[in-house]
Amino acid sequence: MSYYNSKALNSNFEKVEAQVRESLHKVGFGILTEIDIQQKLNEKLAVEFHKYKILGACNPKFAYEALKFDSRIGTMLPCNVIIQELNDGKIEVAAINPIASMSAVNNEDIERVAIEVSILLNKFIASLED
């Protein structure tokens, strides 16, 4: 089982990022955090890196359900989605596979929530278009 699901698009970074935000919203996710890795690596290490953003996506309903089952599950939230520029000029969008990540918890209730979240994130990835 892969720890992520991804799709590469023939578009520019900014258009893909806008589409990602809109598509996540359509399946019930908001963005809680955002890290511009390219900017941070340049700022902290003075290195050049390709365009790369991490968006911390959260579906409040499922986050609440998971937190009711295990209050420490917050250590594994939010669901990270990355947008990165590939060497061939394509833009890759990848989302965590919550089933894979939550399997470490070994809790059937959490597993059921992870399955539902996985369905939504897979729908989100499938909806992305060039």
Side-chain angles (χ1 to χ4, degrees):
M1 172 184 316
S2 178
Y3 67 94
Y4 68 94
N5 183 11
S6 68
K7 189 174 203 178
L9 303 169
N10 292 308
S11 188
N12 72 52
F13 194 92
E14 292 72 22
K15 285 183 182 177
V16 171
E17 183 178 352
Q19 184 182 180
V20 163
R21 291 173 184 277
E22 182 180 331
S23 297
L24 281 168
H25 180 72
K26 284 181 180 177
V27 294
F29 287 82
I31 306 298
L32 297 178
T33 60
E34 180 177 333
I35 305 168
D36 184 331
I37 295 295
Q38 182 185 44
Q39 175 193 7
K40 290 297 177 190
L41 289 177
N42 186 278
E43 177 185 308
K44 302 292 184 185
L45 301 175
V47 298
E48 294 298 319
F49 198 75
H50 61 278
K51 290 182 179 180
Y52 190 115
K53 283 194 178 179
I54 302 171
L55 303 177
C58 179
N59 180 300
K61 174 187 173 225
F62 292 118
Y64 177 61
E65 283 185 41
L67 287 163
K68 287 191 305 184
F69 295 129
D70 183 343
S71 66
R72 291 173 191 87
I73 206 67
T75 61
M76 301 179 84
L77 300 177
C79 295
N80 282 336
V81 174
I82 66 163
I83 307 165
Q84 71 169 321
E85 188 175 55
L86 301 176
N87 289 337
D88 62 4
K90 291 184 180 182
I91 307 301
E92 180 185 43
V93 177
I96 183 124
N97 176 349
I99 297 169
S101 64
M102 295 299 173
S103 67
V105 178
N106 199 24
N107 178 314
E108 288 181 16
D109 294 318
I110 296 290
E111 184 179 326
R112 283 193 296 275
V113 173
I115 290 168
E116 292 186 64
V117 173
S118 181
I119 290 167
L120 292 176
L121 289 174
N122 288 339
K123 182 178 177 181
F124 147 69
I125 292 286
S127 76
L128 299 174
E129 299 177 349
D130 289 329

